[in-house]
Amino acid sequence: MKTSKWFIKHSETSVKCTLCPHECIIREGKSGSCRVRSNKGGLLRPDNYGLISALRTDPIEKKPLYHFYPGSGIFSVGSAGCNLRCVFCQNCEISQVISLDDILGLQHYEPQQIVDNARTVAGNLGIAFTYNEPTVWYDFMFDTARQAKSIGLKTVMVTNGYINRAPLSELLEVTDAFSVDLKGFTEEFYHKASSARLEPVKESIKQIAAAKRHFEIVNLVIPDMNDNRQTFNEMVKWISGELGKETVLHLSKYFPMYKLNTPATSTALLEELHEMASQHLDYVYLGNAESHHNNTYCPQCKSLVIVRHGYNTVLTGIDASGNCSKCRTKILKYI
Ligand code: SF4
Ligand code: SF4
């Protein structure tokens, strides 16, 4: 059984997990808040190491990443567990487990097997760690990503951003791109809706940006919960001011799930917030919703440069250097 690097001894009978801001104190034989990391014999064991709940090739746009190798497929893997408790969780059957034994069909893989599978997929860009929260799968994700990078595959993490600075710093060395949730913009919302704090998420996003990794931000819009216009405007201004107006923001439509019965987000609300966000940001998209706000326009000359119909993506106005073909403004920064 693997031992995690991210813990310290706390007492004779307990350890402290240092992976995420919860910093759980875990007694012998018990698990942390994520329920997938436990104290066995004074060592922190990642119980979900190598356990796979889902494995398939998705369009990169599904992560969602719209400005990272648009139109590519990416081999996507997930496990079980999460360090948050979002009442609206859209993946609760694998994220909110009481015990790993409750999940049917988990299969065991070694990192090399995942990499071998990924490289046999024709035209595959790389590996995405997604579906449940990959932070609580850190040890397996890190080992797999390192091997994937060594043979030239790209690596992507789809995350809530609730991770401590030191583990994220090491992860940045083996991860090319991040899709990060910014679920709301008040401590109250994060506390009530996700049993977490906002500030560590902001710090993670700033750390990813400072490391110059590709990242895009996802905000799930939930009516009457995180759609206060003033707060939303503050969030958008923070993204623009702190991270840059070229930061990609996805406003995603919520559907009733898990513990939340609030009706689904209306198109009118998404359109209104899209308009507000577009005052400060160059690239704002609507997710989980049929919309013309899925295309990419050059922020300088307004040319249509990427057309998206569902997950069908066509680059219509981008040159080989990732610039607008008409005015040469940089659109795709990874090139
Ligand atoms: S990763 Fe899990 S065990 Fe570690 S601090 Fe976070 S919730 Fe607790
Ligand atoms: S962070 Fe994501 S996976 Fe975890 S509970 Fe929240 S919505 Fe679900």
Side-chain angles (χ1 to χ4, degrees):
M1 165 70 81
K2 182 94 178 171
T3 300
S4 178
K5 175 179 176 181
W6 302 105
F7 79 100
I8 53 173
K9 184 172 172 172
H10 182 255
S11 73
E12 279 311 309
T13 56
S14 64
V15 297
K16 178 174 169 177
C17 177
T18 57
L19 180 53
C20 95
H22 288 312
E23 305 208 325
C24 300
I25 309 294
I26 310 173
R27 285 183 290 125
E28 173 64 37
K30 302 291 183 190
S31 303
S33 174
C34 57
R35 302 177 182 131
V36 291
R37 291 168 62 81
S38 61
N39 176 354
K40 293 195 175 80
L43 299 173
L44 188 57
R45 306 294 198 178
D47 297 325
N48 58 357
Y49 190 92
L51 293 182
I52 307 290
S53 62
L55 179 148
R56 59 177 168 265
T57 301
D58 285 336
I60 189 97
E61 284 76 14
K62 203 170 179 179
K63 301 301 111 189
L65 289 175
Y66 276 19
H67 286 222
F68 190 69
Y69 296 88
S72 301
I74 188 157
F75 192 70
S76 302
V77 289
S79 183
C82 185
N83 49 352
L84 268 55
R85 295 267 176 277
C86 304
V87 292
F88 47 81
C89 182
Q90 313 273 306
N91 284 324
C92 55
E93 66 289 344
I94 53 170
S95 75
Q96 301 302 309
V97 291
I98 302 296
S99 160
L100 287 168
D101 295 335
D102 296 341
I103 303 183
L104 296 175
L106 284 176
Q107 294 193 323
H108 187 269
Y109 283 76
E110 292 298 324
Q112 187 63 52
Q113 291 175 291
I114 297 295
V115 174
D116 287 344
N117 273 280
R119 83 169 139 200
T120 60
V121 178
N124 176 39
L125 177 65
I127 300 177
F129 302 94
T130 178
Y131 306 132
N132 69 310
E133 172 52 45
T135 294
V136 301
W137 205 29
Y138 185 101
D139 308 273
F140 184 80
M141 173 172 57
F142 186 89
D143 291 348
T144 308
R146 186 168 49 188
Q147 291 188 30
K149 294 275 311 157
S150 73
I151 60 162
L153 293 174
K154 302 295 179 197
T155 52
V156 165
M157 182 185 186
V158 181
T159 180
N160 59 31
Y162 211 61
I163 181 169
N164 278 341
R165 189 166 187 84
L168 178 55
S169 178
E170 291 199 6
L171 199 59
L172 284 163
E173 293 169 19
V174 295
T175 308
D176 295 295
F178 294 79
S179 172
V180 193
D181 288 346
L182 186 54
K183 296 174 186 291
F185 211 60
T186 64
E187 289 294 350
E188 187 189 9
F189 174 82
Y190 260 87
H191 177 68
K192 277 191 182 162
S194 300
S195 304
R197 289 181 289 127
L198 165 64
E199 203 54 39
V201 177
K202 288 165 69 180
E203 287 303 313
S204 292
I205 294 173
K206 286 198 286 184
Q207 191 180 347
I208 293 167
K212 304 211 178 305
R213 291 295 175 275
H214 181 86
F215 71 99
E216 300 182 20
I217 294 177
V218 181
N219 177 241
L220 183 75
V221 178
I222 309 172
D224 301 328
M225 282 189 73
N226 64 355
D227 63 343
N228 177 284
R229 307 306 192 264
Q230 187 179 336
T231 307
F232 180 83
N233 211 32
E234 282 168 20
M235 180 182 81
V236 168
K237 282 180 165 170
W238 178 83
I239 294 171
S240 177
E242 193 75 46
L243 310 168
K245 68 195 292 284
E246 69 284 2
T247 303
V248 177
L249 173 64
H250 300 266
L251 301 176
S252 196
K253 177 172 179 156
Y254 142 91
F255 292 94
M257 276 297 251
Y258 193 36
K259 296 180 177 173
L260 201 60
N261 294 323
T262 303
T265 321
S266 69
T267 303
L269 174 57
L270 289 168
E271 294 275 353
E272 182 188 342
L273 297 185
H274 180 276
E275 170 128 18
M276 284 177 70
S278 299
Q279 306 291 315
H280 302 281
L281 296 169
D282 289 339
Y283 306 108
V284 185
Y285 301 107
L286 297 188
N288 287 345
E290 275 301 315
S291 164
H292 60 283
H293 295 309
N294 269 326
N295 295 331
T296 302
Y297 295 86
C298 172
Q300 190 62 37
C301 71
K302 311 300 176 199
S303 297
L304 176 61
V305 293
I306 306 177
V307 179
R308 300 181 185 85
H309 289 294
Y311 293 123
N312 183 21
T313 302
V314 184
L315 279 65
T316 52
I318 304 258
D319 68 17
S321 304
N323 300 327
C324 170
S325 312
K326 192 170 169 197
C327 73
R328 306 293 166 210
T329 295
K330 191 76 174 168
I331 308 284
L332 302 177
K333 292 194 166 176
Y334 63 86
I335 302 178

